[in-house]
Amino acid sequence: MKESVEKMGMFSHLGDDVKSGIVVFLVALPLCLGISLASGAPFFSGIISGIIGGVVIGFLSSSKLSVSGPAAGLAALVLSAITNIGDFRLFLCAVLLAGIIQIGMSFARLGGLANYFPSSVIKGMLTSIGILIIAKQIPHALGYDKDEKGHLSELLPYGDIHEMFSPLQHVDMGVFMICVISIAIMLLWERPFFKQKFKFVPGALVAVIVAILISEGLKAIQSPFAIEQDHLVTLKAAGSASEFLSFFTFPDFSGFLNSQVIVTGIMIAVIATLETLLSIEAVDNIDPERNVTNTNRELLAQGIGNAVSGLIGGLPITSVIVRSSANINAGGKTKLSAIFHGLLLLICVIAIPSLLNRIPLSALAAILLLTGYKLCKLDVFKQMISNGKYQSIPFFVTVIVILAIDLFGIVHHLKGEGLLIGVVAGLITAFIAILHGNLKNSYFFHRENHTDGDIIRIHLAEEVSFLNKASIRETLDHIPANAKVVIDASDTHYIDFDVLELIKEFRDIKAPLKQIVCKTENFKEVYKIDNSYNVSSGH
């Protein structure tokens, strides 16, 4: 009965969802192609994963507004995995395995996994991914991509100073010009005037359209700067339904006996799960109706989506905040908007592959360069330093280890495994910091039995680390409506940044929605939490 009501609800805002589905499609199309480029995978693979993320995961997910697809955050890992494994069909086994692992995690009810990873390590991982994306796209941006996977070593080979700069003589000025113009357009589109006037037209799409027009114009006048075919997107065009079906790639199941494939599958599952759970949390926070997504069901949907993607030649999939926020801003109301955007991607790849094949790779590189920059911009480093040593040290350890292995190849035989090793190094650093603190102060969290109308006093201990985030979140989420809550920090010497954010979110957003009167007491000035009642309670 519940499912039938939910399905009927999907069509209750048909007009809004169709409109937002079109907007999300326009955002997703260049991203699907760009992430394929960054991953060193066939362009068709990115489109496949976009279709599955929209239609399959969109239908199965309990989130009304989240939109899934190929993720830039996994591009560096996928590129290294495809390169190291050496066979795309074997790599697809890793994607299939990742999906199976996520399904298992769903049944094991591990939807709260992200609560046990400190934000410092996760931000370190995402920052490193941003730097890796930028490094891998520079060759495509300059038109010196002898290797289609775009290795920075092509531009900066080891040798003397003259050898280092010799490749710059081969930069394709037409390709570079399109990249610069594309970046300028996207930056211009983020200015307030364009954001307001053309808010439903994505800057990335405008950049791609302008890039196509410039490329075709240079070709028409036979300019020496005309873009050659090997610097354009290459998608197969089908003449019949059977030919279209032949474009799908199926996994080589012998990969399940390959240790490198198995390790890659586990890494994809863990990183994709973290990205999805973080994205889902962000989407729930900006959802106008404050819907709460069932994270275990989301893991099941993502697992099935990744399994299907691996079976037919797609890339790994996660919930993606860029597509999801575009969906919300465009007025999406139900899961139908995500499903509709997936169907539009399918129609696009069937109907207009020849148009897609006119897109310059440097325009896609421009999209990825800005995507990478947003992940690793200077503000992230400043914020982590300002959050104190318990945040900054694990962050920098994670970044340094990942880049040392995957960008600079300091340990050559480990290249491609930097993300996993870097995250583990960051976690170990965070745990050491906690253990150091716990040698001085024990931790306890007192949770009282309570019923409606009782005054609930939550007394924080001397040391409150990110490991306590899950139990604190569970307690706060289960406080009944109309209760009175006092969160007392009189004895604390240290409260983790993640926990502080959790308490502020509860007091200022979640508590008022449940008519809960929440008071914070004895929080030190450094915590930046006012010792007061939540504003909307009227006290």
Side-chain angles (χ1 to χ4, degrees), residues 168-180:
L168 296 178
Q169 301 170 11
H170 303 284
V171 171
D172 188 314
M173 292 307 298
V175 169
F176 180 60
M177 176 183 67
I178 284 179
C179 181
V180 172

Side-chain angles (χ1 to χ4, degrees), residues 121-442:
V121 176
I122 294 172
K123 286 180 181 177
M125 180 188 75
L126 294 174
T127 299
S128 304
I129 287 169
I131 295 171
L132 289 172
I133 287 172
I134 291 172
K136 300 298 183 183
Q137 291 311 303
I138 290 175
H140 291 300
L142 299 179
Y144 192 69
D145 43 1
K146 294 184 297 182
D147 183 330
E148 63 178 11
K149 292 175 174 55
H151 291 294
L152 189 64
S153 58
E154 296 169 6
L155 292 176
L156 303 176
Y158 295 106
D160 61 33
I161 192 72
H162 300 291
E163 184 184 354
M164 180 177 289
F165 290 101
S166 63
L168 296 178
Q169 301 170 11
H170 303 284
V171 171
D172 188 314
M173 292 307 298
V175 169
F176 180 60
M177 176 183 67
I178 284 179
C179 181
V180 172
I181 291 172
S182 298
I183 290 174
I185 289 170
M186 287 185 286
L187 291 176
L188 190 66
W189 228 252
E190 293 183 359
R191 305 294 295 175
F193 173 80
F194 287 93
K195 262 190 174 180
Q196 293 168 6
K197 294 290 184 182
F198 307 101
K199 62 180 180 179
F200 295 136
V201 181
L205 181 70
V206 177
V208 166
I209 292 172
V210 171
I212 292 174
L213 294 174
I214 293 174
S215 176
E216 291 300 308
L218 292 173
K219 188 186 298 182
I221 63 174
Q222 297 182 334
S223 167
F225 298 129
I227 311 302
E228 297 178 5
Q229 185 60 45
D230 58 353
H231 294 307
L232 301 176
V233 167
T234 307
L235 266 175
K236 296 178 182 177
S240 64
S242 59
E243 188 179 0
F244 178 73
L245 293 175
S246 71
F247 295 163
F248 291 89
T249 306
F250 303 104
D252 179 352
F253 292 106
S254 67
F256 285 113
L257 303 176
N258 185 317
S259 60
Q260 198 170 24
V261 170
I262 293 170
V263 170
T264 300
I266 294 170
M267 290 170 63
I268 291 173
V270 172
I271 295 173
T273 296
L274 289 175
E275 281 205 37
T276 290
L277 294 176
L278 291 171
S279 176
I280 287 294
E281 184 176 350
V283 171
D284 285 351
N285 285 338
I286 60 175
D287 178 2
E289 297 182 6
R290 294 288 173 181
N291 291 298
V292 177
T293 301
N294 182 328
T295 51
N296 291 310
R297 180 171 166 184
E298 184 64 29
L299 275 184
L300 177 63
Q302 295 287 334
I304 292 173
N306 274 311
V308 174
S309 187
L311 281 171
I312 61 174
L315 297 175
I317 301 170
T318 71
S319 171
V320 186
I321 190 62
V322 174
R323 295 172 177 82
S324 303
S325 57
N327 187 27
I328 292 170
N329 292 335
K333 302 295 183 184
T334 74
K335 296 191 291 184
L336 189 62
S337 58
I339 295 170
F340 185 60
H341 115 275
L343 293 174
L344 287 176
L345 285 173
L346 176 60
I347 293 168
C348 178
V349 76
I350 293 173
I352 56 168
S354 58
L355 177 59
L356 299 181
N357 286 338
R358 298 176 188 270
I359 299 174
L361 297 183
S362 59
L364 300 181
I367 295 170
L368 290 162
L369 286 170
L370 279 185
T371 301
Y373 168 73
K374 288 176 181 177
L375 288 172
C376 66
K377 57 187 177 181
L378 191 60
D379 289 347
V380 176
F381 291 87
K382 289 180 179 177
Q383 180 192 4
M384 297 310 299
I385 292 171
S386 68
N387 288 341
K389 62 182 179 181
Y390 285 98
Q391 288 283 304
S392 61
I393 293 176
F395 170 81
F396 281 108
V397 167
T398 304
V399 172
I400 291 169
V401 172
I402 291 173
L403 296 184
I405 294 174
D406 278 352
L407 186 57
F408 299 108
I410 288 177
V411 186
H412 187 72
H413 69 280
L414 291 178
K415 197 164 184 180
E417 298 177 13
L419 281 173
L420 178 62
I421 297 171
V423 168
V424 170
L427 287 173
I428 291 172
T429 306
F431 278 118
I432 290 172
I434 293 165
L435 291 174
H436 179 264
N438 285 345
L439 287 175
K440 301 176 182 177
N441 302 290
S442 61

Side-chain angles (χ1 to χ4, degrees), residues 444-474:
F444 70 93
F445 180 79
H446 183 62
R447 181 170 59 191
E448 297 179 8
N449 294 325
H450 48 74
T451 57
D452 289 1
D454 286 346
I455 296 178
I456 302 156
R457 179 170 289 273
I458 297 173
H459 195 84
L460 301 179
E462 292 178 336
E463 295 278 339
V464 185
S465 72
F466 74 86
L467 289 176
N468 311 120
K469 180 181 173 183
S471 60
I472 293 173
R473 181 191 291 277
E474 181 183 4

